[in-house]
């Protein structure tokens, strides 16, 4: 039996699902955690589903701190949603504890597992099929940012230190090139050069933070389209998920990571780069929607720096894929050879597009920003 299957069975025994479990299968397209959907069959009601996840040991060294963050944030969000007349069971995640009463279960190999109700009546998209859909995700992430405005940021643990520290990501890439553990650096010459040509860019947002121009906020830090569940009838963004990286950070990064993933029509690992293009109409749709919810909570400097958020999150993510490729694909899940290199290349193609259309991006942001 695969090690994870044994651990999965231990985890299934550790939680009280309130009804017999009839199956548990892998679910979703996340790159980090091991996610399973659990089906149960109550005697009189219809099937209830749950999301059972093993948190990635490669990404998260302190699941205890991570779960403390998530419990704090989801309880706070739940109260804010109720105050605004919303449905907290649908619009926020709820951590379901194991029988032990602890926030998560630890299996015999040390793996850490958590459980959420499956948010029914929702769809998780891998690409922005329409501008309306992308806009709906923008409103959801903008609302998330606004609702967490009053959350005490100093109580949050840094679940991945230096997560969006682009200077540190650059240093890690350089170290991976230097070590060249698998002899892969030679085939990545163009990609390595692409980054080195943009070394100064890696400090733009961090310098603005150090200068006090950009404030630290409570941010999600992983605002991909597939981290928001959309209502299957109305298409509205309902529930923000994947809260592992909620930490103090920059609002422009939350905006930028959504653009990175969503403002083009092809997959993050598309090997044919002629198909990978920044769609400026999608950029505009997201910008308008995000600012309609978060705009009043942001300073004019944060709004002015939004194009930088898009470019830096895309450059940084490409650097992270490249680093992982050079180190032997130990962090991001892969399902085929060179997938991380392909992912890196799509990111750098999008960075080039952003640079070529920079003035348009600034005009769009100015149009929807305040003032
Ligand atoms: P990863 O960090 O690996 O991306 P996620 O927490 O994003 O893990 O979960 C992976 C996928 O599982 C999501 O993209 C989504 O499809 C699905 N998912 C996660 N939580 C829920 C939930 N509570 N209800 C429904 N689907 C969920
Ligand atoms: C990972 O967990 P997931 O698949 O939503 C990663 C993000 C990257 C993204 C690239 C904790 O996101 O930072 O931007 O892959 N999450 C973590 O697709 O490293
Ligand atoms: Mg995810």
């Amino acid at each position: 039996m695969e090690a994870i299957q044994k651990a999965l069975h231990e985890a299934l025994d550790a939680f009280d699902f309130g009804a017999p479990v009839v199956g548990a299968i892998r679910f979703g397209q996340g790159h980090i955690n091991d996610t399973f959907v659990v089906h149960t069959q109550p005697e009189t009601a219809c099937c209830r589903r749950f999301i059972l996840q093993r948190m990635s040991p490669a990404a998260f060294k302190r699941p205890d701190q991570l779960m403390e963050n998530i419990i704090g944030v989801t309880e706070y969000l739940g109260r804010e949603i109720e105050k605004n007349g919303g449905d907290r069971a649908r619009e926020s995640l709820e951590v379901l504890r194991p029988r032990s009463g602890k926030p998560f279960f630890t299996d015999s190999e040390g793996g850490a597992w958590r459980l959420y109700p499956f948010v029914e009546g929702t769809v998780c998209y891998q690409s922005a099929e329409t501008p309306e859909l992308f806009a709906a995700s923008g409103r959801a992430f903008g609302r998330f940012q606004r609702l967490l405005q009053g959350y005490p940021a100093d109580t949050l643990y840094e679940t991945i230190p230096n997560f969006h520290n682009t200077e540190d990501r650059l240093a890690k890439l350089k170290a991976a090139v230097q070590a060249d553990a698998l002899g892969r650096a030679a085939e990545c010459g163009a990609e390595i050069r692409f980054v080195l040509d943009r070394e100064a860019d890696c400090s733009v947002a961090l310098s603005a933070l150090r200068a006090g121009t950009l404030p630290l906020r409570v941010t999600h830090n992983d605002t991909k389209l597939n981290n928001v569940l959309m209502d299957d009838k109305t298409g509205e963004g309902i529930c923000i998920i994947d809260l592992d990286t909620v930490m103090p950070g920059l609002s422009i990064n939350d905006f930028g990571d959504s653009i990175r993933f969503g403002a083009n029509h092809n997959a993050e690992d598309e090997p044919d780069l002629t198909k990978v293009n920044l769609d400026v109409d999608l950029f505009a749709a997201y910008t308008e929607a995000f600012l309609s919810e978060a705009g009043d909570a942001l300073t004019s400097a944060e709004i002015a720096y939004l194009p930088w958020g898009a470019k830096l999150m895309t450059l940084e993510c490409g650097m992270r894929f490249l680093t992982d490729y050079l180190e032997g694909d130990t962090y991001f899940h892969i399902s085929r050879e060179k997938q991380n290199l392909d992912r890196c290349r799509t990111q750098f193609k999008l960075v080039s597009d952003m640079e070529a259309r920079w003035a348009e991006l600034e005009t769009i942001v100015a149009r929807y920003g305040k003032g």
Side-chain angles (χ1 to χ4, degrees):
M1 191 171 10
E2 207 194 328
I4 183 110
Q5 289 296 329
K6 177 173 171 280
L8 171 64
H9 281 102
E10 289 179 22
L12 288 169
D13 283 343
F15 289 91
D16 179 4
F17 294 91
V21 170
V22 291
I25 47 171
R26 277 200 181 269
F27 191 77
Q29 295 191 30
H31 295 339
I32 302 297
N33 295 310
D34 289 297
T35 302
F36 297 85
V37 59
V38 179
H39 291 242
T40 66
Q41 186 56 72
E43 234 170 69
T44 49
C46 41
C47 163
R48 261 190 88 199
R49 299 194 289 174
F50 299 83
I51 288 284
L52 179 61
Q53 284 182 316
R54 186 183 71 157
M55 292 164 256
S56 163
F60 305 112
K61 305 299 174 206
R62 293 292 304 265
D64 53 335
Q65 296 184 347
L66 185 160
M67 289 307 293
E68 205 176 310
N69 278 3
I70 292 187
I71 289 170
V73 164
T74 50
E75 286 180 353
Y76 182 91
L77 276 176
R79 285 193 297 274
E80 291 297 306
I81 288 163
E82 268 177 357
K83 264 196 243 162
N84 296 326
D87 175 358
R88 69 185 289 170
R90 221 168 125 64
E91 296 168 33
S92 175
L93 290 175
E94 181 198 358
V95 175
L96 301 173
R97 291 171 184 256
R99 292 181 218 274
S100 67
K102 295 190 174 146
F104 61 96
F105 166 69
T106 307
D107 66 42
S108 55
E109 299 292 321
W113 295 77
R114 62 160 171 243
L115 186 71
Y116 296 122
F118 192 103
V119 182
E120 298 290 354
T122 59
V123 189
C124 178
Y125 291 93
Q126 302 303 325
S127 79
E129 291 168 11
T130 63
E132 291 73 29
L133 178 79
F134 197 37
S137 77
R139 281 190 292 278
F141 281 120
R143 199 178 313 129
F144 183 86
Q145 181 113 137
R146 181 167 51 72
L147 289 179
L148 286 174
Q149 246 187 119
Y151 192 85
D154 55 350
T155 62
L156 285 171
Y157 293 103
E158 216 184 338
T159 52
I160 302 182
N162 292 317
F163 189 56
H164 284 322
N165 181 335
T166 314
E167 292 168 348
D168 186 63
R169 296 291 185 183
L170 174 66
K172 287 184 171 131
L173 172 61
K174 286 181 178 171
V177 172
Q178 196 66 35
D180 196 17
L182 285 99
R184 292 177 171 179
E187 68 178 305
C188 306
E191 288 73 26
I192 295 165
R193 170 89 1 241
F194 187 92
V195 176
L196 295 178
D197 286 346
R198 288 160 184 77
E199 187 155 356
D201 290 349
C202 296
S203 296
V204 168
L206 292 169
S207 297
L209 173 68
R210 287 190 285 260
T213 311
L214 293 176
L216 259 195
R217 298 196 180 275
V218 175
T219 47
H220 182 282
N221 294 305
D222 190 2
T223 52
K224 296 202 291 197
L225 182 67
N226 64 13
N227 285 332
V228 50
L229 302 178
M230 322 291 289
D231 187 285
D232 63 4
K233 294 198 178 60
T234 65
E236 206 36 58
I238 293 293
C239 181
I240 302 292
I241 59 168
D242 207 344
L243 304 174
D244 300 316
T245 49
V246 173
M247 290 183 270
L250 295 177
S251 59
I252 65 166
N253 290 345
D254 272 7
F255 170 85
D257 199 45
S258 294
I259 298 299
R260 173 191 80 70
F261 187 80
N264 82 93
H265 297 279
N266 281 283
E268 200 176 52
D269 62 349
E270 171 60 56
D272 180 356
L273 292 183
T274 63
K275 293 185 183 164
V276 179
N277 301 296
L278 176 76
D279 181 330
V280 174
D281 293 334
L282 285 178
F283 178 92
Y286 191 93
T287 305
E288 180 179 18
F290 180 79
L291 288 177
S292 74
E293 286 283 349
D296 290 344
L298 303 180
T299 66
S300 43
E302 286 176 290
I303 294 173
Y305 271 82
L306 289 177
W308 273 107
K311 177 169 161 180
L312 288 174
M313 281 300 94
T314 314
L315 179 63
E316 181 192 281
C317 198
M319 285 159 51
R320 293 172 62 198
F321 288 140
L322 183 55
T323 306
D324 200 34
Y325 180 68
L326 293 170
E327 290 178 343
D329 309 303
T330 56
Y331 185 86
F332 295 104
H333 291 171
I334 55 163
S335 53
R336 60 174 170 83
E337 271 184 35
K338 295 192 195 288
Q339 194 172 12
N340 275 322
L341 183 56
D342 285 338
R343 287 172 176 154
C344 157
R345 289 177 170 152
T346 63
Q347 302 307 291
F348 292 169
K349 170 65 172 48
L350 290 171
V351 170
S352 298
D353 283 5
M354 288 175 195
E355 289 172 347
R357 306 190 69 173
W358 195 251
E360 283 174 78
L361 305 189
E362 288 193 323
T363 304
I364 291 164
V365 165
R367 184 185 314 144
Y368 298 119
K370 54 180 168 192

